[in-house]
Structure formats: C-alpha cells, structure tokens
C-alpha cells in the first residue's frame, strides 16, 4: 500500500505534526486528533470548513493545494500525505 | 447502504431547521400579487427576499412583450439551438446585450447557473488554473468541477491573498482564470475590482466577473461593478443572470475575446440543453430596455436600500459592510436565525434564511433583498417587524421610551 511507503518517507512526521497542531488550534482542542481522524465525520467540519483548512495550510507550508484533491483527503493522514506529494512536485 | 444515506447530516440540519416552525425551504407563495406582495399561509406578506431588484416581474411592457412572443412563436423551442436553430429573439437578445455592455460578443444560456458552468468548463481545461474567491456562488464551484482545471481559492475580497496564490502558481504552466463576483449575494459586499485587476495584469491572468447581483444595480448605466469601478476593459468575461434585475430566467456572458463564438459548440451546458423560450427572451429584452431607459429605477433601488439599511442599523442590528440592495442581518446562531425567520413570516414579512455551510465564516444570517418596487412605507414596516421580532426573542432591548407607551 502506498500509505506505508509515504509514512517511511522523511518529512511525513513533521508535516503530520504540523497538520495536527493546526487542526487542534482550529477546533479549539475539542477533539482527540490522531492520524486516522476523519475530518468531516470526527471533527464535524463541513465541506467549506475543510476547504478553509486547506487555504490556511497552503499558507503554512507555502504550497498550492488545489481543491481538486479534496475527494482524496478524508483523514488527517491523507492531508499530510497530499501536502508532501505536492511539495515533492 | 441506502443511496441517500450520505445525506444523513443534511437531514439532521434540515430537521432542526423545520422543527422550529414553518419549513424555510418549502415556503408556498399561494398567490403572488405584485413584485413585493404575496399571500403566504393565507396571510398578506411583504416580499423582501426575492432579488427582484428593479421590480420588473409585473412590468406591463415586459408582460406584453412576453405575451406577443408566446402568440407568435409558441410556448417553447423544444430543444437546443444547435439542434433546433436560433429564433429571432435569441440573436436579438444577444445583439442587444452586446451593445448594452459595449462588447463584441454575447451568448445566452438557459440559466445563470448554466452560464457559469458553460463558461468555466469551456474556458479552461485540466492543464489550466481557476483561482476563485472563496465566497463564490455554488454555480462557480460546480463550474470548476466540470472544467477539471486545478482550482485554488483565495480569501474573500483579498487582492493580496490572490496575489500570494498566483505567485505560488507562477512556475506552473497553463492559463490562469480568476473568478469573482460583482456584489456577493451573502453579505452584499463588492469585490475590490481595481486592485484585483492590478494583480490580474501583473500575473498575466484572465478575469471573469459574475455580475448576477450587480447588473442593473451598479454603474452609471447599470452595467455592473466593472462599469462602476471603471475597469470594464480589464474584465475579460462578464457573466450574469436574467433571474434578478431582469425579472425572468436565463443567463448570459459577454466578452471581447477573439473566437468567442467557438464556445457555442465547445460549451456543453450551452449545447446540450433546451434554449430559452421566446416569451422569456421577449420579456428580458423589454427589461433590458427598461433598465436603460429608466435609470430612476436604479436610483429608487439605492434610495430604498439606504432607507432599510439605515433603519436596521440604527435599531442595533449587525449588518453587512456596505449599503447595497442585499441587506444581510447577522444573528447569533442557526437556531436564532431560524426562529427569527419564522417570527418575520408569522408577521407577514418574507426574507431569505442563510445558514452555514452556505454562508461565509459560518455565519447565520437573514438576507433582505430590497427592490425598486418597495414603497418607503413597506420598508419602514419591514424594519418595524424586524424590531418586533428582535424584542420578542430578546435580541434587542426594547428602547425605554417605546416601552413606556
Ligand atoms: C452569484 C450568482 N451566480 C449565479 C447565480 C445563478 O443564477 P440563476 O438563478 O440564473 O441560475 C446566482 C443566483 O442564483 C448567483 O447568486
């Protein structure tokens, strides 16, 4: 599975940590956020809120994350992986 | 799993919205009396949520033109223009629109929704970029999906944020099309068009402005925000709708772009749907004439907007940032907004309920849309009813003087 490959890659842990910190701030630490947290279901983020998370993360990581990726981004881990993939170009 | 199971959260919100009174999504206009009055639940109701900006839905010239077209050309075209041909009203309306906007080309769509779908999907492809204001209308988001281009959002009305995002995309190939609106339908605020044009030029992008809520409303001649801001030459595409100021249904795009006519075969939401019925186009042509020949309608609209905005603002309501025909009243939470909306309807005032996620910043709002057809008396009544409901719900303190009587 490509998941395990991505996890092994350098940078994943850092990006994941940053994403989790960011989401914790956004949701005012109301949830226990882990790698497998589903943003819509577990964090109660509606589609617009998830897009706003992307918007803010674009600035944090200085990348462009087209919203076309949204369909593939469900969990916190998906999000971190997408950012890494995009950063690699 | 049932096909509709993924809408469980929608059903929950829907249930909450309807549990507090009438169903905000199923209001029945039992009898429409005029652009500003209808019978709802057996009650005479003042309409202030219909985007009927110039009040032309009952305009005698528009109605007569529609009736004449019905008699002459029948009830419908029964197909697309590609298959069934263009009627005289199709070309006539397009020519008049092009002339009105001072553009070389105009193209009419069956709705404003389809105009956005049709333009966005045809103008850009998978290798291109759409850079859209985060608060854009659902039809723009859906157009983005159909286009298949990479879609980047920028923070609402923030040219510096737009620039930052275009800078990040600078190294990538493909065309960049910026999409914004003239007046935004949720808060009634306007795009900072001149600043956005500066950014557009700097990065060699194209610009499309959806003037759905600003044609007939802004600009000396009613051509919209681009005219008001004095930068029509730098707006590559203006999209609009006939469902608001024109009092009918349909959409359009005008442009000076070379080769624009190619879109008639390249734009699927144009090609693969039935064209507008002659009667609709005839009423729209009469409305376009009224819009040009009766600038007093626009002046009345703005006076009316200022009157209502001033009344509500002085009463202590939190409103959108600018005085425009959309007056957005911000409330604490969805439940308060729903209760407020019901309170208004029970007292015979109809406005729009706007709840997250359709709203910016997750706000819960009531949207009042002002018409040139409202009388000052109706607007004062709307404001008085707003105060009544607010006192009832404990949102505003009853002024001591008023309470003493
Ligand atoms: C900004 C905007 N664009 C497009 C549309 C769609 O227009 P229509 O009702 O003609 O489909 C609307 C409103 O409905 C709108 O507010």
């Amino acid at each position: 599975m490509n998941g395990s490959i991505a996890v092994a890659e350098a940078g994943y842990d850092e990006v994941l940590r940053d994403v989790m910190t960011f989401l914790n701030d956004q949701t005012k630490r109301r949830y226990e956020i882990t790698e497998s947290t589903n943003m819509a279901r577990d964090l109660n983020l509606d589609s617009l809120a998830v897009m706003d998370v992307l918007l803010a993360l674009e600035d944090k990581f200085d990348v462009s994350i087209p919203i076309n990726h949204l369909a593939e981004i469900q969990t916190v881990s998906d999000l971190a992986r997408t950012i890494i993939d995009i950063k690699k170009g | 799993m049932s096909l509709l199971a993924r809408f469980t959260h929608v059903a929950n919100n829907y249930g909450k919205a309807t549990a507090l009174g009438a169903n905000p999504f199923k209001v029945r206009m039992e009898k429409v009396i005029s652009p500003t009055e209808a019978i709802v639940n057996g009650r005479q109701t003042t309409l202030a949520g219909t985007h009927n900006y110039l009040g032309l839905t009952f305009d005698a010239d528009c109605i007569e033109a529609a009736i004449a077209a019905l008699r002459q050309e029948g009830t419908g075209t029964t197909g697309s223009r590609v298959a069934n041909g263009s009627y005289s009203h199709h070309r006539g309306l397009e020519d008049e629109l092009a002339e009105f906007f001072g553009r070389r080309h105009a193209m009419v769509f069956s709705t404003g929704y389809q105009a956005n779908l049709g333009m966005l999907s045809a103008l850009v492809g998978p290798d291109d970029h759409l850079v859209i204001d985060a608060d854009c209308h659902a039809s723009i988001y859906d157009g983005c999906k159909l286009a298949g281009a990479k879609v980047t959002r920028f923070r609402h009305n923030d040219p510096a944020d737009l620039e930052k995002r275009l800078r990040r995309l600078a190294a990538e190939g493909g065309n960049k099309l910026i999409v914004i609106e003239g007046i935004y339908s949720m808060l009634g605020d306007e795009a900072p068009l001149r600043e956005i044009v500066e950014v557009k030029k700097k990065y060699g992008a194209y610009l499309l402005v959806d003037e759905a809520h600003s044609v007939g409303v802004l600009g000396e001649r009613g051509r919209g925000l681009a005219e008001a801001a004095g930068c029509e030459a730098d707006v590559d595409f203006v999209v609009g709708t006939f469902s608001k100021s024109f009092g009918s249904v349909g959409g359009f795009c005008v442009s000076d772009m070379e080769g624009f006519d190619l879109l008639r075969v390249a734009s699927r939401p144009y090609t693969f749907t039935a064209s507008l019925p002659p009667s609709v186009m005839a009423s729209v042509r009469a409305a376009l004439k009224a819009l040009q020949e009766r600038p007093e309608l626009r002046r009345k609209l703005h006076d009316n907007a200022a009157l209502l905005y001033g009344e509500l603002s002085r009463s202590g309501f939190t409103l959108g940032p600018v005085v425009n025909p959309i007056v957005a009243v911000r409330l604490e939470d969805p439940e308060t907004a729903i209760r407020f909306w019901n309170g208004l309807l029970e007292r015979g005032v109809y406005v729009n309920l706007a709840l997250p996620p359709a709203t910016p910043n997750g706000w819960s709002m009531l949207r009042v849309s002002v018409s040139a057809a409202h009388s000052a008396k109706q607007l004062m009544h709307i404001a008085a009813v707003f105060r009544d409901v607010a006192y009832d719900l404990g949102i505003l303190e009853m002024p001591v003087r008023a309470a003493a009587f």
Side-chain angles (χ1 to χ4, degrees):
Chain A
M1 222 186 90
N2 65 6
S4 51
I5 298 166
V7 174
E9 268 162 17
Y12 176 79
D13 287 342
E14 289 95 310
V15 172
L16 181 68
R17 193 167 357 99
D18 282 349
V19 168
M20 293 209 295
T21 307
F22 175 81
L23 286 173
N24 267 317
D25 289 347
Q26 285 285 300
T27 56
K28 305 196 174 66
R29 298 179 194 284
R30 271 176 290 147
Y31 303 94
E32 183 82 34
I33 297 178
T34 68
E35 227 172 339
S36 59
T37 298
N38 180 305
M39 290 189 285
R41 199 186 54 216
D42 304 330
L43 304 185
N44 224 352
L45 296 178
D46 59 41
S47 52
L48 194 64
V50 174
M51 286 197 288
D52 287 343
V53 165
L54 283 196
L55 197 67
L57 286 174
E58 286 186 310
D59 290 342
K60 190 166 174 54
F61 292 99
D62 192 27
V63 286
S64 183
I65 315 172
I67 58 172
N68 315 53
H69 288 287
L70 274 178
E72 310 137 31
I73 302 175
Q74 275 152 35
T75 63
V76 172
S77 158
D78 294 338
L79 183 52
R81 265 192 216 114
T82 304
I83 293 170
I84 289 172
D85 287 350
I86 287 174
K87 265 198 152 320
K88 276 197 313 218
Chain B
M1 194 168 96
S2 111
L3 284 175
L4 300 181
R6 65 199 169 85
F7 296 117
T8 307
H9 64 289
V10 178
N12 289 342
N13 288 340
Y14 192 75
K16 275 186 227 152
T18 53
L20 295 166
N23 185 335
F25 315 110
K26 280 193 185 164
V27 174
R28 279 186 55 202
M29 301 282 158
E30 285 144 13
K31 184 175 185 322
V32 180
I33 301 165
S34 75
T36 60
E37 296 154 295
I39 306 289
V40 181
N41 300 328
R43 193 182 296 112
Q44 172 105 10
T45 299
T46 306
L47 302 178
T50 57
H51 305 296
N52 196 347
Y53 296 127
L54 301 179
L56 291 175
T57 47
F58 282 78
D59 180 81
D61 292 343
C62 295
I63 291 175
E64 288 311 317
I67 292 171
L70 256 176
R71 291 233 158 86
Q72 274 158 28
E73 305 204 305
T75 51
T77 63
T78 67
S80 77
R81 286 168 70 179
V82 177
N84 295 18
S86 293
Y87 288 40
S88 65
H89 278 298
H90 288 115
R91 287 315 308 207
L93 175 54
E94 285 174 345
D95 290 348
E96 285 162 13
L97 280 170
E99 195 189 332
F100 171 63
F101 283 97
R103 301 274 185 170
R104 290 222 293 279
H105 312 285
M107 197 166 151
V108 166
F109 293 84
S110 299
T111 63
Y113 178 90
Q114 284 159 295
N116 275 327
L117 254 58
M119 292 309 299
L120 299 183
S121 64
L123 290 175
V124 291
D127 296 331
D128 301 315
H129 294 269
L130 284 160
V131 185
I132 70 172
D133 185 289
D135 283 3
C136 274
H137 187 256
S139 57
I140 292 169
Y141 276 92
D142 290 357
C144 288
K145 279 194 190 160
L146 200 58
K150 286 169 233 119
V151 183
T152 302
R153 297 161 80 234
F154 67 94
R155 288 194 168 80
H156 176 55
N157 273 355
D158 187 340
D161 197 74
L162 168 65
E163 169 151 21
K164 187 165 62 183
R165 279 155 220 285
L166 281 170
R167 198 186 308 128
R168 285 189 194 125
L169 295 175
E172 303 203 20
N175 287 315
K176 279 122 204 174
L177 175 64
I178 302 166
V179 185
I180 61 170
E181 294 176 24
I183 293 179
Y184 283 85
S185 60
M186 283 294 161
L187 293 178
D189 50 343
E190 295 165 17
L193 191 53
R194 268 185 238 154
E195 292 85 340
I196 286 175
V197 160
E198 287 311 310
V199 177
K200 167 216 144 146
K201 286 198 210 155
K202 186 166 165 192
Y203 288 86
Y206 294 94
L207 176 62
L208 181 149
V209 183
D210 179 350
E211 302 248 28
H213 294 269
S214 35
V215 170
V217 174
L218 298 181
E220 187 71 26
R221 284 160 293 189
R223 284 160 30 164
L225 180 66
E227 185 195 4
C231 29
E232 289 178 286
D234 292 307
V235 174
D236 302 288
F237 306 94
V238 170
V239 166
T241 175
F242 302 137
S243 72
K244 306 186 195 302
S245 287
F246 294 85
S248 186
V249 68
F252 68 89
C253 177
V254 295
S255 175
D256 285 324
M257 183 105 350
E258 199 69 48
F260 187 80
D261 251 9
L262 264 178
L263 296 175
R264 294 186 195 274
V265 283
S267 171
R268 297 169 69 87
Y270 173 88
T271 310
F272 295 103
T273 195
S275 65
L276 287 173
S279 55
V280 164
M281 293 184 287
S283 83
V284 170
R285 290 175 77 177
L288 181 58
K289 200 154 171 265
L291 200 151
Q292 295 174 85
E293 291 176 357
R294 293 158 66 192
E296 64 274 16
L297 288 175
R298 203 153 43 253
R299 281 197 293 273
K300 180 82 189 311
L301 173 64
H302 286 286
D303 289 348
N304 280 351
L307 176 63
L308 186 70
Y309 190 99
E311 275 295 309
L312 292 178
S313 165
R314 272 192 298 280
S315 304
F317 289 100
T318 308
L319 306 180
V322 276
V323 181
N324 257 332
I326 296 168
V327 181
V329 181
R330 194 175 149 198
L331 294 165
E332 190 62 30
D333 48 45
E335 192 180 315
T336 309
I338 294 164
R339 283 188 200 285
F340 207 118
W341 180 87
N342 272 289
L344 292 171
L345 194 64
E346 283 157 16
R347 290 167 178 80
V349 171
Y350 175 76
V351 302
N352 296 135
L353 176 63
L355 300 175
T359 51
N361 314 314
W363 287 344
S364 299
M365 300 186 297
L366 296 174
R367 284 188 309 152
V368 191
S369 68
V370 175
S371 170
H374 281 125
S375 66
K377 194 168 154 225
Q378 282 178 314
L379 296 166
M380 295 302 279
H381 172 69
I382 292 166
V385 173
F386 258 86
R387 285 189 290 268
D388 273 359
V389 176
Y391 300 147
D392 251 21
L393 296 179
I395 293 166
L396 291 182
E397 295 271 332
M398 181 126 29
V400 179
R401 207 152 38 87
F405 283 103

